[in-house]
Amino acid sequence: MTPERPRRADATAATVETPQDAKVAVSRVTEPSALPNPGPAPLYAALDLGTNSCRMLIAQPLGSQFSIIDSFSKSVQLGVGLEASGRLSRASMGRTIQALRICEKKIEKHGVQRMRLVATEACRRARNAKDFIRQVRRETGLALEIIAPEEEARLAVISCAPLVNPSTEQLLVVDIGGGSTELVWIDLSAVAPTDRPRAIMRLHMGFNAQGEGAVARVVDWISVPLGVATLKDQFIDVDDDAARFALMSWFFEENLASFSPYNAENPREGFQIVGTSGTVTTVAASFLNLKRYDRTKVDGLQMTSDQIDLVIREYLSLGPEGRRTDPRIGRDRHALIMSGSAILQALMRIWPTDRLSVADRGLREGLLYAQMSADGVLEDGPYT
């Protein structure tokens, strides 16, 4: 099946005042115990239902940041079979609804009133997505909202704002999902170095948002309908492990042809790539040789191209069986790590940098920041 043409947007702009790093304590591997509610501040929930995973955070505003009260993460494989049939299967919907029941119980337990519960690429593409959304509402009481690729990209960007270096003039934020990959190129050269992370936060209002003074200009963005699950499905009939990896990497690069910075001459100095996804954090954990995932060691880590290539070569040498039993990769990730690594390798091959900033944050954190900002409950007030 040939993927549909990637969606994209025109150049735009924005400015801001924003939070510092969020006090997030979320693991992909384990679900932490709920913390006691520390006070009267309102609780917020953010749920991200993707092609592969269902993940939720419940958090409370804390100064200009937020503190995680509870979380949930489970591989539900909602998109299994979607590439071939164009529909969500009965089995995948059943798994997902089971996970959503747990989320609903957590929301009820904590008395959460403010929430955004979103679904992404699998539900955007499935012909029976509306029926599934109605079934979720009927069986769990949760109202899922299918968001557009632009909003998904925007939320990933603002979640990564605290990781932007003051010296960064050109920023590429990459979010490798299960069903799609979002890339956003931002020009920060007109923004004072100390204001650059904060300048990104106003993008929660939209890529066309305007503000007073210097702005963070979105040069271009793209949503490629290839993520770790959908890219893997494209080459499922290729038996040779190394050949399949090479084909996936080059095929992904071909799908970037309409992204305007792809063929641009961009300076190496002042350029930063921030990567957010399970792929990126798994590669980082493997590089650090973590047998048990530790977010505090991974989030914000800087990796060189050589270090990333070393990990990917090791994955290839392990083969499918070796990857399946490698504790650094994990049981939920081993089948998808090579398609994600193919995307990551393509990105590092294309653009003029030898470093990647690893972000263990993404859509859920962006949803929390956007909700709290709109309500004006963060110390810095609403970012408007």
Side-chain angles (χ1 to χ4, degrees), residues 129-190:
K130 289 183 179 178
D131 292 336
F132 171 63
I133 297 294
R134 284 193 290 267
Q135 184 181 355
V136 168
R137 183 65 180 264
R138 186 169 62 250
E139 296 191 23
T140 70
L142 299 179
L144 287 177
E145 167 191 1
I146 302 174
I147 60 171
E150 178 181 337
E151 184 169 13
E152 184 176 359
R154 201 167 67 231
L155 291 166
V157 166
I158 66 174
S159 74
C160 294
L163 299 181
V164 176
N165 300 324
S167 60
T168 297
E169 294 191 351
Q170 302 294 324
L171 173 68
L172 177 65
V173 176
V174 180
D175 182 9
I176 305 172
S180 64
T181 298
E182 280 68 45
L183 295 88
V184 184
W185 191 289
I186 302 170
D187 182 356
L188 295 164
S189 59

Side-chain angles (χ1 to χ4, degrees), residues 77-89 92 233:
Q77 298 179 318
L78 179 62
V80 168
L82 176 61
E83 192 73 22
S85 69
R87 298 174 62 86
L88 303 174
S89 73
S92 64
D233 288 348

Side-chain angles (χ1 to χ4, degrees), residues 292-342:
R292 184 178 179 83
Y293 187 79
D294 186 344
R295 181 188 185 276
T296 62
K297 294 179 179 178
V298 170
D299 189 50
L301 179 72
Q302 296 269 330
M303 293 187 69
T304 67
S305 297
D306 288 344
Q307 290 167 341
I308 292 170
D309 285 341
L310 183 66
V311 172
I312 293 175
R313 285 199 301 271
E314 186 179 358
Y315 288 162
L316 284 168
S317 69
L318 285 171
E321 182 59 26
R323 294 192 294 268
R324 188 180 69 81
T325 57
D326 191 321
R328 302 169 305 166
I329 298 174
R331 288 175 298 175
D332 289 345
R333 183 63 53 181
H334 74 89
L336 301 171
I337 190 59
M338 294 316 299
S339 50
S341 295

Side-chain angles (χ1 to χ4, degrees), residues 51-364:
T51 302
N52 191 56
S53 300
C54 174
R55 295 173 291 187
M56 184 181 71
L57 291 178
I58 295 175
Q60 185 174 58
L62 184 66
S64 59
Q65 310 169 12
F66 57 78
S67 177
I68 300 301
I69 303 302
D70 204 350
S71 71
F72 176 80
S73 180
K74 181 146 184 86
S75 174
V76 295
Q77 298 179 318
L78 179 62
V80 168
L82 176 61
E83 192 73 22
S85 69
R87 298 174 62 86
L88 303 174
S89 73
R90 183 173 299 178
S92 64
M93 290 190 293
R95 287 191 301 270
T96 302
I97 287 173
Q98 286 181 346
L100 290 169
R101 285 195 181 106
I102 298 173
C103 294
E104 190 278 329
K105 288 177 182 176
K106 286 178 176 287
I107 289 170
E108 183 179 12
K109 171 186 173 183
H110 292 290
V112 178
Q113 298 297 317
R114 295 283 286 117
M115 66 191 80
R116 278 199 77 190
L117 317 173
V118 306
T120 56
E121 187 67 12
C123 288
R124 286 196 291 260
R125 295 177 62 181
R127 293 196 301 270
N128 59 337
K130 289 183 179 178
D131 292 336
F132 171 63
I133 297 294
R134 284 193 290 267
Q135 184 181 355
V136 168
R137 183 65 180 264
R138 186 169 62 250
E139 296 191 23
T140 70
L142 299 179
L144 287 177
E145 167 191 1
I146 302 174
I147 60 171
E150 178 181 337
E151 184 169 13
E152 184 176 359
R154 201 167 67 231
L155 291 166
V157 166
I158 66 174
S159 74
C160 294
L163 299 181
V164 176
N165 300 324
S167 60
T168 297
E169 294 191 351
Q170 302 294 324
L171 173 68
L172 177 65
V173 176
V174 180
D175 182 9
I176 305 172
S180 64
T181 298
E182 280 68 45
L183 295 88
V184 184
W185 191 289
I186 302 170
D187 182 356
L188 295 164
S189 59
V191 182
T194 55
D195 292 336
R196 284 169 184 167
R198 293 195 294 269
I200 294 167
M201 285 297 295
R202 190 161 290 170
L203 294 176
H204 80 82
M205 299 166 58
F207 285 159
N208 292 310
Q210 298 289 330
E212 297 178 2
V215 297
R217 186 174 65 90
V218 177
V219 177
D220 198 8
W221 73 276
I222 189 171
S223 180
V224 182
L226 293 169
V228 295
T230 45
L231 181 59
K232 173 178 175 287
D233 288 348
Q234 290 282 339
F235 297 95
I236 201 165
D237 57 341
V238 179
D239 292 329
D240 184 86
D241 197 43
R244 183 169 57 249
F245 173 78
L247 287 168
M248 288 190 296
S249 186
W250 287 109
F251 183 65
F252 182 81
E253 182 176 342
E254 286 178 358
N255 279 265
L256 294 176
S258 62
F259 186 45
S260 63
Y262 174 72
N263 296 310
E265 290 294 327
N266 295 293
R268 182 176 294 269
E269 292 299 318
F271 178 72
Q272 181 182 5
I273 297 181
V274 178
T276 171
S277 70
T279 293
V280 174
T281 56
T282 299
V283 168
S286 295
F287 170 70
L288 295 172
N289 202 31
L290 299 179
K291 301 298 191 296
R292 184 178 179 83
Y293 187 79
D294 186 344
R295 181 188 185 276
T296 62
K297 294 179 179 178
V298 170
D299 189 50
L301 179 72
Q302 296 269 330
M303 293 187 69
T304 67
S305 297
D306 288 344
Q307 290 167 341
I308 292 170
D309 285 341
L310 183 66
V311 172
I312 293 175
R313 285 199 301 271
E314 186 179 358
Y315 288 162
L316 284 168
S317 69
L318 285 171
E321 182 59 26
R323 294 192 294 268
R324 188 180 69 81
T325 57
D326 191 321
R328 302 169 305 166
I329 298 174
R331 288 175 298 175
D332 289 345
R333 183 63 53 181
H334 74 89
L336 301 171
I337 190 59
M338 294 316 299
S339 50
S341 295
I343 294 172
L344 182 58
Q345 188 187 71
L347 297 171
M348 298 303 292
R349 181 171 64 235
I350 293 167
W351 278 293
T353 181
D354 62 355
R355 289 190 176 275
L356 172 80
S357 300
V358 178
D360 185 350
R361 55 186 74 209
L363 185 56
R364 293 173 301 167

